[in-house]
């Protein structure tokens, strides 16, 4: 800046053009923008893949990332395991569905630019 005789305004302009604002994502704003089509798209993308092994690995990685940010995902997974062990398969299925929904919401928030 000094050797090229640049001023603060020049520096501010360069800094602004080289960076992006961190999204301000309040919970109410997120839910107001959340559409079923987006949830469906994320859930479908995780369920349909020509390489099922790769799709499964990606689902697991996404769920692990999501569970670090949203403790309810771990709780639902543990509840599903316990329900399965007790023979309550309907409960286990519901808990798995809730886990997938929370994970999809996590992925959508990340796609919107939210940083955990």
């Amino acid at each position: 800046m000094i050797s090229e005789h640049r001023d603060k305004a020049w520096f501010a302009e360069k800094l602004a053009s080289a960076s992006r604002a961190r999204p301000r994502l309040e919970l109410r704003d997120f839910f107001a923008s959340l559409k079923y089509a987006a949830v469906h798209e994320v859930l479908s993308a995780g369920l349909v893949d020509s390489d099922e092994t790769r799709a499964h690995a990606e689902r697991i990685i996404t769920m692990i990332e999501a569970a670090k940010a949203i403790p309810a995902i771990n709780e639902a997974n543990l509840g599903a395991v316990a329900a399965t062990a007790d023979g309550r398969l309907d409960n286990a299925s519901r808990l798995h569905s809730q886990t997938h929904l929370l994970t999809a919401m996590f992925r959508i928030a990340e796609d919107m630019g939210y940083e955990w």
Side-chain angles (χ1 to χ4, degrees):
M1 277 181 49
I2 294 171
S3 67
E4 294 182 19
H5 304 287
R6 304 291 184 173
D7 61 3
K8 290 179 185 177
W10 175 86
F11 180 70
E13 181 182 318
K14 290 296 179 188
L15 186 60
S17 68
S19 61
R20 67 177 175 91
R22 184 174 180 174
R24 186 170 165 262
L25 189 64
E26 292 193 26
L27 191 57
R28 68 176 162 262
D29 297 332
F30 173 70
F31 282 116
S33 68
L34 188 62
K35 305 293 183 212
Y36 179 76
V39 174
H40 177 71
E41 181 180 335
V42 171
L43 290 172
S44 295
L47 298 175
V48 179
D49 194 296
S50 58
D51 181 354
E52 188 55 35
T53 302
R54 182 174 63 95
H56 181 70
E58 288 177 8
R59 282 194 303 272
I60 297 298
I61 290 168
T62 297
M63 193 170 289
I64 290 169
E65 290 174 4
K68 288 177 185 175
I70 305 172
I73 292 173
N74 281 332
E75 294 168 3
N77 277 327
L78 292 172
V81 168
T84 299
D86 291 345
R88 295 175 289 132
L89 301 183
D90 285 346
N91 288 353
S93 178
R94 265 191 297 283
L95 288 167
H96 280 299
S97 294
Q98 292 167 2
T99 297
H100 292 297
L101 178 60
L102 289 170
T103 301
M105 292 168 64
F106 167 85
R107 180 57 57 212
I108 291 167
E110 278 206 331
D111 290 347
M112 292 172 68
Y114 187 79
E115 296 176 17
W116 300 91

